[in-house]
């Protein structure tokens, strides 16, 4: 809904982007937890980590333009009921080799962590066993109330052992977005250089800062801000032109 494609439609779109040399960042938080109800089949949902495996295998089969494998970023909000499965997803050797993983950390979680208070894992999907479940005033179901520090320690331990997951301070990123009134950040590109809205494009250029140093390695060393500002303005215009002339795969 809201213009977001279904699981297989998104996978097909990703395949097109990956085959053209691009990378894709996904927020899997909308997917039902593995203990959620699938009403049509009266069964439990697969959960986002399971579907990530499908995306991982699909990406393995695609060799993109230039002969390299595709890159993907998988994001799950810290309040998703399957967050612990997500955090430990790379504990198994060889798992999710086509993914970088990052946890979308909210201000609510950070406040609970600082105060040492419990934290609720929630989702709008109804639990399979909803007998003892509580539905909040915002319509979300509470799947579990956890020890906030224990989850944070798990994230830190996995990051130390596996070098992943990373963390994205998602609320802070949206608060600092100049276009917050018309777009929302949910994920980043695969190397986490840039937060992007849905179907946003990571179009990057680089500036060699050493070229703007005058009289280097002397007492008179300085930075030429005037020339730097001029180059950045031209470079930004160039990147805008790149976006205008690019033939988008989607």
């Amino acid at each position: 809904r809201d213009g977001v494609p279904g699981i297989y439609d998104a996978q097909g779109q990703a395949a097109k982007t990956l085959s053209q040399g691009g990378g894709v960042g996904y927020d899997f938080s909308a997917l039902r937890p593995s203990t959620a109800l699938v009403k049509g089949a009266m069964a439990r949902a697969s959960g986002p980590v399971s579907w990530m495996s499908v995306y991982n295998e699909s990406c393995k089969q695609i060799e993109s333009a230039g002969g390299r494998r595709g890159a993907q970023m998988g994001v799950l909000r810290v309040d998703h009921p399957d967050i612990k499965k997500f955090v430990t997803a790379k504990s198994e050797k060889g798992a999710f080799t086509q993914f970088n993983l990052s946890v979308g950390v909210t201000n609510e979680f950070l406040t609970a962590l600082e105060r040492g208070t419990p934290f609720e894992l929630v989702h709008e999907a109804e639990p399979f066993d909803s007998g003892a479940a509580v539905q909040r005033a915002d319509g979300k179901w509470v799947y579990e109330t956890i020890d906030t520090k224990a989850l944070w320690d798990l994230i830190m331990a996995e990051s130390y052992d596996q070098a992943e997951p990373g963390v994205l301070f998602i609320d802070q990123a949206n608060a600092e977005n100049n276009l917050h009134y018309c777009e929302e950040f949910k994920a980043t590109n695969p190397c986490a250089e840039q937060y992007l809205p849905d179907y946003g494009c990571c179009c990057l250029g680089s500036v060699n800062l050493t070229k703007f140093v005058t009289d280097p390695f002397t007492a008179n060393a300085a930075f030429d801000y005037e020339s730097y500002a001029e180059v950045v303005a031209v470079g930004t215009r160039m990147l805008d032109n790149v976006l205008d002339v690019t033939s988008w795969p989607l």
Side-chain angles (χ1 to χ4, degrees), residues 35-166:
T35 52
L37 172 67
V38 180
K39 291 183 178 179
M42 290 305 295
R44 288 179 172 85
S46 296
V49 176
S50 174
W51 286 112
M52 283 170 55
S53 298
V54 176
Y55 281 55
N56 189 72
E57 292 306 310
S58 174
C59 186
K60 278 184 181 180
Q61 308 309 317
I62 300 170
E63 187 169 291
S64 64
R68 68 181 180 90
R69 296 296 180 186
Q72 302 181 112
M73 167 67 86
V75 176
L76 197 71
R77 285 174 56 94
V78 72
D79 56 5
H80 192 284
D82 282 4
I83 188 62
K84 285 180 273 190
K85 292 182 181 179
F86 179 83
V87 168
T88 58
K90 286 202 171 185
S91 297
E92 184 180 342
K93 187 176 180 180
F96 298 104
T97 55
Q98 309 304 120
F99 268 104
N100 295 123
L101 302 179
S102 284
V103 177
V105 176
T106 63
N107 288 343
E108 183 183 4
F109 176 84
L110 292 173
T111 299
L113 180 64
E114 185 178 29
R115 295 176 177 173
T117 54
F119 184 70
E120 294 178 340
L121 302 183
V122 300
H123 204 273
E124 61 185 26
E126 183 181 348
F128 181 82
D129 183 9
S130 59
V134 176
Q135 191 173 22
R136 303 193 313 193
D138 62 3
K140 293 183 178 180
W141 293 86
V142 178
Y143 278 67
E144 185 180 356
T145 300
I146 63 166
D147 182 326
T148 313
K149 186 176 183 300
L151 176 56
W152 187 247
D153 287 346
L154 179 64
I155 293 171
M156 294 300 105
E158 287 298 311
S159 182
Y160 183 86
D161 291 340
Q162 318 297 339
E164 291 192 68

Side-chain angles (χ1 to χ4, degrees), residues 1 9 15 32 37-38 52 65 82 86 207 230 243 246 250:
R1 66 173 184 265
D9 287 338
R32 290 174 291 195
L37 172 67
V38 180
M52 283 170 55
D82 282 4
F86 179 83
V207 175
E230 181 181 353
L243 296 176
T246 295
L250 300 180

Side-chain angles (χ1 to χ4, degrees), residues 212 224-234:
F212 301 93
D224 185 353
Y225 284 100
E226 185 176 346
S227 296
Y228 172 67
E230 181 181 353
V231 167
V232 168
V234 174

